[in-house]
Structure formats: C-alpha cells, structure tokens
C-alpha cells in the first residue's frame, strides 16, 4: 500500500512504533535439502505477528523449491516447482514466474506464494535515454535479476486480543529504500521477508529508491505501509485492497483513512527557526 505526494526539501520519516520478533537472531538452518541442479540461492519467509512460522524458498536451475508445510524438509514431493517461460510481450525485459504455491502449516492456511524474476532480454540494445536507464538499472541489480515475492489470499492473525484487521490481505516485497531483493548463496545469509507481521511506515521512491535530499525542485515520494524484514528489498508492502477469486474488491484500509506527513525544513536564516509543515497524503498509488 503506497501513498504518493510531492515535497520540496528534505523529508524525515517517523515510523510507527513496532513490537516485532528479532529476525536477526532467527535460526536459519534447513533440516533437509535435495540434490540441486544448479547453484542454490536462498530466501526465508516468516509469517504472523511473532514470526513463528518459517518457509524456505530456494532457487536452483529452472526450479523453485518451496517448503510449503514449513517443516524444513525440501526433499518432499511437490515442493519443487518449475519456473514459467518468459512472455515476449514484456520486451526489453523478460519475466519468469513460478506457479502460485499454497502454504498450509499445522492446518492453518497462509495463502499463496509466487516468485517473479525480471531480466533484460539477451537481444536488447538500448537506443534512447529511457532504454539506457533501463539497461543501467539492471546492471546495478545483483545477477541482473529483479526479484519479487508476493503472497495473496492470506488470512491475518489477530493482534493481541483484538480481531484480525482484515479477512484477507496481499503483500509483496522486491525493492525498498535499502535496495533490491536478492536470494543469498548460503542459508545463514538469506534475506528474511516477514508477511502478516507488525505494520509500520516506510518511505520509498520506486525501484531505485534514491535518498531524499534538500532541493529547490519538487520531489515525488511514496509512503508504504507494510512490514520490515532483514536485508535489502525485504519491506513487504501491504495492498490497500484485496481482490477475491470472483473479482470482488474489499478495502483493507478504509477509504477515509490517510497517513499524515510532518515535515521540518531547514531555517531560511542561519539562526532562524526551522520551517514545519503538515500534509495529509490522500493519493493511493
């Protein structure tokens, strides 16, 4: 879920307080692994407010391994799925998608997980400024691959003694202000993406996510609502609405609820008071 706006100057972001599990101390051992075809790369998904549920994703060769029952054994039948073939419609990029994999652990359904990888078409040669920017963007991404992990049809757990904040949610992680999500070569270095976790605010400005700097020109920025993980690109954006299997749309965030930005600008005079402003961000994007 993102809210857009324009600012002149420097925006400091104050996030909501979060009571979360210490993901940095989480055990990243895998109980059993298959013999992979190709070099494996790892990512760990955790679910729920306290991050008690763990699901490993491993990319190797043309397959994605998903620990869909959360028992740490990736050798079980049905846990290796084939990545799809790219569509020619997306030139100059190619998008490879896995099938949606349903996660059910101890009888609780955690929704469907899908991996998308975007790469430049091998025959792409930039001819204008926009295409050059696209080419340069992929050169800065590890392995030349943009990675996105989505979860849909997730029924969130209650927070404390209250009711769940929504019947179903959708979240996605792939890039944030720290950089682009990339699987790691070793389980102990794997990024951790937290779905259905404590919600907070995050400032983002698109795939590149440049830093906000003082300027006399307007600057387009976005505020995301979601859950912070461990590693680059692990902030899991929460969609502000949920689309059901029959195409019915349900608002996760009420239409009349908006985040507010409190902004402090440097004083115009050397010893002057800073300039403060308040904006309500109403544009969803």
């Amino acid at each position: 879920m993102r809210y857009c706006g324009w600012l002149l100057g420097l925006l400091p972001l104050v996030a909501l307080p979060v009571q979360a599990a210490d993901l940095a101390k989480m055990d990243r051992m895998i109980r059993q692994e298959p013999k992979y075809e190709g070099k494996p790369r790892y990512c760990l998904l955790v679910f729920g407010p306290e991050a008690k549920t763990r699901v490993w994703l491993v990319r190797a060769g043309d397959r994605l391994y998903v620990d869909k029952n959360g028992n740490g054994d990736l050798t079980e039948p049905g846990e290796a799925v084939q990545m799809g073939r790219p569509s020619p419609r997306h030139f100059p990029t190619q998008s490879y998608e896995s099938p949606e994999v349903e996660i059910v652990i101890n009888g609780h359904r955690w929704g469907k997980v899908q991996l998308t990888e975007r790469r430049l078409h091998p025959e792409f040669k930039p001819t204008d400024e926009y295409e050059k920017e696209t080419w340069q963007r992929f050169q800065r991404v590890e392995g030349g691959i943009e990675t996105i992990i989505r979860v849909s049809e997730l029924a969130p757990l209650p927070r404390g003694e209250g009711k769940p904040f929504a019947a179903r949610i959708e979240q996605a992680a792939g890039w944030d202000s720290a950089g682009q999500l990339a699987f790691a070569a070793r389980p102990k270095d794997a990024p951790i993406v937290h779905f259905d976790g404590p919600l907070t605010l995050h400032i983002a400005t698109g795939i590149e996510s440049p830093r906000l700097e003082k300027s006399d020109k307007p600057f387009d920025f976005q505020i995301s609502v979601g859950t912070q993980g461990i590693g680059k690109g692990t902030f899991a954006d929460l969609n502000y609405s949920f689309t059901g299997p029959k195409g019915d749309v349900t608002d996760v965030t009420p239409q009349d609820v908006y985040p507010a930005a409190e902004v402090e600008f440097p004083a115009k005079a050397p010893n002057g008071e800073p300039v403060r402003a308040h904006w309500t961000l109403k544009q969803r994007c």
Side-chain angles (χ1 to χ4, degrees):
M1 171 167 52
R2 294 189 174 187
Y3 293 85
C4 301
W6 288 86
L7 281 187
L8 283 168
L10 180 66
L11 173 70
L13 172 68
V14 180
L16 298 174
V18 179
Q19 298 297 323
D22 189 347
L23 301 184
K25 296 181 179 180
M26 183 164 290
D27 177 17
R28 301 190 201 187
M29 296 294 294
I30 302 178
R31 188 164 64 87
Q32 193 166 354
E33 298 183 68
K35 183 178 181 180
Y36 300 111
E37 294 185 6
K39 185 178 180 179
R41 299 188 68 82
Y42 300 86
C43 180
L44 178 59
L45 312 183
V46 295
F47 292 81
E50 299 178 359
K52 292 183 177 180
T53 298
R54 309 191 321 160
V55 173
W56 278 101
L57 301 183
V58 182
R59 276 288 284 120
D62 57 1
R63 294 184 177 184
L64 172 68
Y65 294 81
V66 184
D67 183 22
K68 61 184 181 181
N69 59 9
N71 66 356
D73 184 356
L74 287 167
T75 67
E76 296 177 334
E79 297 203 333
V81 298
Q82 194 83 15
M83 293 294 292
R85 298 179 63 84
S87 169
R89 295 183 296 106
H90 298 148
F91 189 87
T93 63
Q94 294 180 317
S95 291
Y96 299 77
E97 290 186 342
S98 75
E100 291 184 321
V101 179
E102 188 167 36
I103 308 298
V104 180
I105 300 174
N106 296 327
H108 183 83
R109 184 174 179 272
W110 288 102
K112 297 179 179 179
V113 171
Q114 184 176 43
L115 174 68
T116 299
E117 294 178 342
R118 294 175 183 160
R119 312 177 190 186
L120 285 178
H121 193 283
E123 299 179 1
F124 171 58
K125 295 181 180 180
T127 59
D128 57 31
E129 287 302 316
Y130 175 77
E131 291 184 349
K132 288 179 182 179
E133 290 177 2
T134 300
W135 186 86
Q136 291 171 354
R137 189 182 88 213
F138 277 86
Q139 305 316 303
R140 291 190 289 267
V141 175
E142 184 174 343
I145 301 173
E146 291 182 350
T147 302
I148 302 171
I149 299 172
R150 302 180 188 277
V151 62
S152 61
E153 301 182 25
L154 194 163
L157 294 180
R159 270 60 176 161
E161 298 180 356
K163 295 181 179 180
F165 65 90
R168 294 287 187 273
I169 61 172
E170 296 176 346
Q171 285 183 276
W175 56 82
D176 55 29
S177 59
Q180 178 75 37
L181 175 66
F183 284 35
R186 301 180 298 179
K188 69 176 185 178
D189 299 323
I192 301 178
V193 183
H194 193 174
F195 294 113
D196 188 29
L199 298 178
T200 186
L201 300 179
H202 179 82
I203 191 163
T205 51
I207 294 176
E208 290 298 311
S209 298
R211 293 178 300 176
L212 295 180
E213 297 178 350
K214 184 179 179 181
S215 173
D216 59 354
K217 297 179 180 180
F219 188 90
D220 188 17
F221 74 96
Q222 298 176 350
I223 297 294
S224 298
V225 179
T227 303
Q228 184 62 59
I230 294 290
K232 296 179 180 180
T234 57
F235 188 84
D237 283 338
L238 174 69
N239 285 356
Y240 47 75
S241 63
F242 174 80
T243 303
K246 297 182 179 180
D248 50 317
V249 178
T250 302
D251 287 327
V252 173
T253 301
Q255 291 287 344
D256 58 350
V257 173
Y258 312 104
E262 295 284 349
V263 184
E264 183 176 297
F265 299 95
K268 295 181 179 180
N271 297 320
E273 291 291 326
V275 179
R276 296 180 176 86
H278 175 96
W279 281 277
T280 301
L281 308 179
K282 293 187 177 182
Q283 180 182 349
R284 297 182 176 187
C285 50

